[in-house]
C-alpha cells in the first residue's frame, strides 16, 4: 500500500489558480482583449475585457474546424485578418481593423500579435492583443478633416468630404439609410457679374452658414468647387427626412440674398438616397448631380430626388 502526501500538489494547484485569476484581473483592468492560439493543440483561448466585442466560447478546441464552420460570422472577424498574417509567416502582427461589436456598433480596433516558437523553430503559440482605438482614430480623422476645410466658407473641402462620406458608407449597417444632396446657386455667374467677386464670395459664405444651420450635427456640409456644395445626411429614417432638409435649404437662400445683396436669391438641389454599404461617394454624386440638372431644367429654385427611370 502506498501513501502520497498531496499537500504540495494542492498548494501548487491553489497557486496556479491565484496566478490565473491575477492575470485575468490585470487584463480586465487594461480594458483590452487578449487571444491566445496554441498551434500544437489547435486550441484558442479568449481572455480579458472581451465581452463588448466577442460573445463566443472562451475556449475553443479544434479551432481550425470551428473557424471553417463559422467563417464570415461577426465573432470570427476579430481573428481572420490577424491569423492570416501569422499563417503567411509574420512573426509580429500590427493591424487596424473596423469590427462590429456585440451591440452592432462598428468600432476601430488595433490588433497586435507575437508568435512563440520552440528552439527548433516550431510555431507553438500566437498571442494577440485587441485594443479599442475608436475614439482616438475618430478624433484624428476629425482633426484631419478640420485641417482640410474650405478656406473661404469653412465647410469641408472636396477631398475631406469624399473621405468622410466613403467611411460612413463603409460602416453603414444593412438597413442604414443615408442621403446625399448637391446644391448650387441659381445664376451665380450673374451675381458675380452684377455685384463683383467680393460680394459673390460673401454670398457663398452666407449660403454655407445658412445650410449648416438647417442640418443636424452629425451631417456633413462640403464645397466641391465654385458655387457647388454637398450635404451628406448620415442616418435618416425615410426619404421624407431628406426632402425636409432639401426644402429647408431652398427656403433659407432668399434671406441670404436679402442680407448680402439687398435682393433674394435661390438655389436648386439634387438628391440621391442609399441604403446599407453598397454605395460610394462617386455613385451618390453622379446620381445627385443628375437630379440637380433636372431641377435646373424644371425651372430652378426646387429640389429633385434621383430616379433612374426618369433622370
Amino acid at each position: 500500500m502506498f501513501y502520497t502526501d498531496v499537500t504540495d500538489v494542492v498548494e501548487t494547484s491553489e497557486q496556479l489558480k491565484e496566478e490565473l485569476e491575477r492575470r485575468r484581473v490585470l487584463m480586465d483592468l487594461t480594458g483590452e482583449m487578449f487571444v491566445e492560439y496554441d498551434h500544437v493543440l489547435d486550441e484558442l483561448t479568449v481572455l480579458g475585457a472581451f465581452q463588448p466585442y466577442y460573445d463566443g466560447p472562451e475556449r475553443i478546441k479544434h479551432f481550425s474546424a470551428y473557424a471553417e464552420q463559422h467563417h464570415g460570422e461577426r465573432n470570427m472577424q476579430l481573428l481572420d485578418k490577424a491569423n492570416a498574417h501569422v499563417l503567411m509567416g509574420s512573426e509580429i502582427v500590427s493591424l487596424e481593423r473596423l469590427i462590429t461589436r456585440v451591440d452592432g456598433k462598428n468600432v476601430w480596433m488595433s490588433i497586435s500579435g507575437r508568435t512563440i516558437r520552440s528552439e527548433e523553430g516550431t510555431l507553438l503559440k500566437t498571442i494577440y492583443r485587441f485594443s479599442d482605438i475608436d475614439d482616438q482614430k475618430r478624433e484624428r480623422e476629425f482633426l484631419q478633416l478640420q485641417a482640410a476645410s474650405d478656406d473661404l466658407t469653412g465647410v469641408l473641402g472636396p477631398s475631406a468630404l469624399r473621405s468622410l462620406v466613403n467611411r460612413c458608407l463603409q460602416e453603414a449597417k444593412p438597413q442604414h439609410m443615408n442621403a446625399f444632396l448637391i446644391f448650387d446657386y441659381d445664376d451665380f455667374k450673374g451675381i458675380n457679374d452684377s455685384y463683383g467677386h467680393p460680394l459673390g464670395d460673401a454670398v457663398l459664405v452666407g449660403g454655407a452658414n445658412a445650410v449648416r444651420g438647417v442640418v443636424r450635427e452629425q451631417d456633413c456640409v462640403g464645397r466641391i468647387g465654385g458655387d457647388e456644395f454637398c450635404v451628406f445626411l448620415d442616418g435618416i429614417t425615410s426619404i421624407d427626412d431628406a426632402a425636409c432638409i432639401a426644402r429647408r435649404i431652398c427656403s433659407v437662400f432668399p434671406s441670404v440674398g436679402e442680407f448680402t445683396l439687398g435682393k433674394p436669391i435661390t438655389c436648386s438641389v439634387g438628391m440621391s438616397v442609399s441604403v446599407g454599404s453598397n454605395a460610394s461617394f462617386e455613385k451618390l454624386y453622379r446620381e445627385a448631380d443628375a437630379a440637380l440638372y433636372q431641377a435646373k431644367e424644371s425651372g430652378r429654385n426646387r429640389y429633385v430626388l434621383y430616379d433612374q427611370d426618369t433622370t
Side-chain angles (χ1 to χ4, degrees):
M1 182 177 292
F2 296 93
Y3 295 92
T4 303
D5 187 351
V6 297
T7 303
D8 290 343
V9 176
V10 172
E11 288 181 355
T12 301
S13 177
E14 289 298 322
Q15 290 172 357
L16 180 60
K17 287 181 181 179
E18 288 180 9
E19 177 62 21
L20 290 173
E21 182 61 23
R22 187 181 72 85
R23 284 177 56 193
R24 183 180 294 276
V25 170
L26 287 173
M27 290 177 180
D28 286 341
L29 288 174
T30 65
E32 296 174 333
M33 170 179 164
F34 294 82
V35 172
E36 180 181 297
Y37 177 58
D38 189 317
H39 293 265
V40 177
L41 297 178
D42 191 21
E43 183 173 287
L44 182 124
T45 306
V46 183
L47 301 164
F50 59 83
Q51 290 84 358
Y53 314 99
Y54 175 85
D55 57 359
E58 294 184 36
R59 177 163 295 175
I60 305 173
K61 296 182 178 181
H62 310 297
F63 177 70
S64 297
Y66 179 91
E68 186 173 342
Q69 293 170 4
H70 297 272
H71 178 72
E73 294 183 5
R74 177 182 51 76
N75 280 324
M76 290 306 302
Q77 68 180 328
L78 289 165
L79 296 170
D80 283 345
K81 294 292 184 182
N83 209 36
H85 281 253
V86 172
L87 295 177
M88 288 188 295
S90 300
E91 296 292 321
I92 300 176
V93 176
S94 181
L95 305 168
E96 289 184 1
R97 286 291 180 270
L98 188 69
I99 65 102
T100 303
R101 294 194 321 193
V102 172
D103 63 6
K105 180 182 178 182
N106 292 320
V107 296
W108 282 96
M109 298 286 284
S110 169
I111 306 172
S112 55
R114 270 182 191 276
T115 59
I116 300 174
R117 295 182 181 272
S118 68
E119 292 183 358
E120 294 76 23
T122 302
L123 185 58
L124 301 177
K125 293 185 177 182
T126 303
I127 299 175
Y128 301 103
R129 181 181 69 181
F130 296 81
S131 304
D132 188 330
I133 59 168
D134 197 65
D135 289 342
Q136 302 94 301
K137 190 170 182 68
R138 293 185 190 279
E139 177 65 18
R140 288 199 305 267
E141 290 179 350
F142 174 76
L143 293 174
Q144 291 169 353
L145 291 173
Q146 289 295 99
S149 295
D150 178 62
D151 290 336
L152 176 64
T153 63
V155 300
L156 296 175
S159 177
L161 179 68
R162 180 180 292 103
S163 297
L164 188 58
V165 170
N166 277 328
R167 192 199 76 192
C168 290
L169 292 171
Q170 290 167 5
E171 296 179 6
K173 298 176 184 178
Q175 302 304 317
H176 193 80
M177 181 180 288
N178 300 308
F180 187 83
L181 285 63
I182 299 178
F183 68 91
D184 71 8
Y185 296 64
D186 294 330
D187 192 26
F188 183 71
K189 183 179 183 302
I191 294 174
N192 269 337
D193 292 343
S194 300
Y195 296 93
H197 289 280
L199 278 180
D201 287 349
V203 167
L204 292 177
V205 173
N209 288 336
V211 169
R212 283 193 287 190
V214 301
V215 299
R216 304 163 305 171
E217 185 177 349
Q218 71 264 35
D219 299 328
C220 308
V221 181
R223 184 185 181 195
I224 299 300
D227 66 318
E228 185 175 85
F229 292 76
C230 295
V231 177
F232 181 70
L233 307 177
D234 184 21
I236 57 175
T237 58
S238 67
I239 294 175
D240 288 341
D241 289 347
C244 181
I245 295 293
R247 285 194 296 270
R248 289 180 186 174
I249 291 173
C250 290
S251 70
V252 298
F253 265 74
S255 59
V256 171
E258 292 281 6
F259 180 80
T260 309
L261 307 175
K263 60 175 289 187
I265 60 173
T266 61
C267 78
S268 300
V269 183
M271 299 192 309
S272 177
V273 173
S274 68
V275 178
S277 58
N278 295 325
S280 66
F281 175 89
E282 289 71 20
K283 178 178 183 293
L284 293 179
Y285 180 87
R286 286 195 304 269
E287 294 177 353
D289 191 49
L292 175 63
Y293 177 80
Q294 190 175 34
K296 295 286 190 182
E297 289 293 298
S298 301
R300 303 179 178 181
N301 189 25
R302 67 194 63 215
Y303 70 91
V304 170
L305 174 66
Y306 174 77
D307 184 344
Q308 61 181 356
D309 295 326
T310 59
T311 305

